[in-house]
Amino acid sequence: MKAVAFVPVRLTSSRLPEKHLKLIGNKPLIYWVVKRLKDCKELDEIVICVPDEPENEKLKDFCEKEKVNLYVYKGNANDVVGRLTEASKYYNADICVLASGDCPLLSSETIDKLVADRKSTRLNSSHKTISYA
């Protein structure tokens, strides 16, 4: 069973543009989110999900450096659900964890417990599971 964390990010936010690249200490906000997800033992993959906007190219280097995937959604930039749905299909995820891209205090332990629980209850189920962290 493949568990994937999907992190929706959009650098063109109107309230705080490029907030995911703002520094917390000496690292960008998105670094801390990814670090917490990398600490999870139950996740198989981490995917940053962005709409197809030129500004989001800035995340390409970050994703390569941090060895996480970058999924570029070709649909409406405001369609977060569509972006995550398409990414889950593309990565063939059985268990989808939606991890907020602007929440650097995600609990790795809680995510691991959540995913482990989903894995144990999904053994006899054919439906995808979406969990929110």
Side-chain angles (χ1 to χ4, degrees):
M1 228 176 286
K2 186 176 179 183
V4 182
F6 295 99
V7 185
V9 173
R10 184 171 178 202
L11 295 181
T12 58
S13 168
S14 60
R15 291 178 297 187
L16 183 57
E18 297 190 0
K19 69 179 169 183
H20 301 92
L21 300 178
K22 303 289 184 203
L23 296 181
I24 296 179
N26 61 346
K27 303 280 187 186
L29 168 62
I30 191 67
Y31 167 85
W32 299 108
V33 174
V34 168
K35 180 189 181 317
R36 295 287 179 120
L37 292 172
K38 282 183 172 182
D39 289 342
C40 294
K41 294 167 182 56
E42 296 287 336
L43 291 176
D44 298 300
E45 216 162 343
I46 301 167
V47 180
I48 307 294
C49 301
V50 299
D52 188 16
E53 298 172 323
E55 294 83 357
N56 293 321
E57 282 288 314
K58 295 177 183 179
L59 290 167
K60 198 178 239 179
D61 289 338
F62 171 82
C63 290
E64 287 175 10
K65 179 181 175 190
E66 293 301 321
K67 296 182 179 25
V68 296
N69 293 312
L70 180 66
Y71 179 79
V72 179
Y73 178 60
K74 303 290 185 190
N76 184 322
N78 295 314
D79 185 7
V80 178
V81 172
R83 189 181 339 157
L84 296 172
T85 300
E86 291 302 314
S88 73
K89 291 176 187 175
Y90 182 83
Y91 286 94
N92 199 26
D94 298 304
I95 299 173
C96 304
V97 176
L98 170 57
S100 179
D102 58 4
C103 186
L105 300 178
L106 294 170
S107 169
S108 303
E109 296 83 11
T110 301
I111 293 170
D112 273 341
K113 287 178 184 176
L114 178 68
V115 173
D117 179 65
R118 294 294 97 208
K119 285 180 178 178
S120 68
T121 59
R122 285 226 339 80
L123 292 176
N124 296 318
S125 173
S126 62
H127 296 91
K128 282 191 178 187
T129 302
I130 301 176
S131 302
Y132 300 92

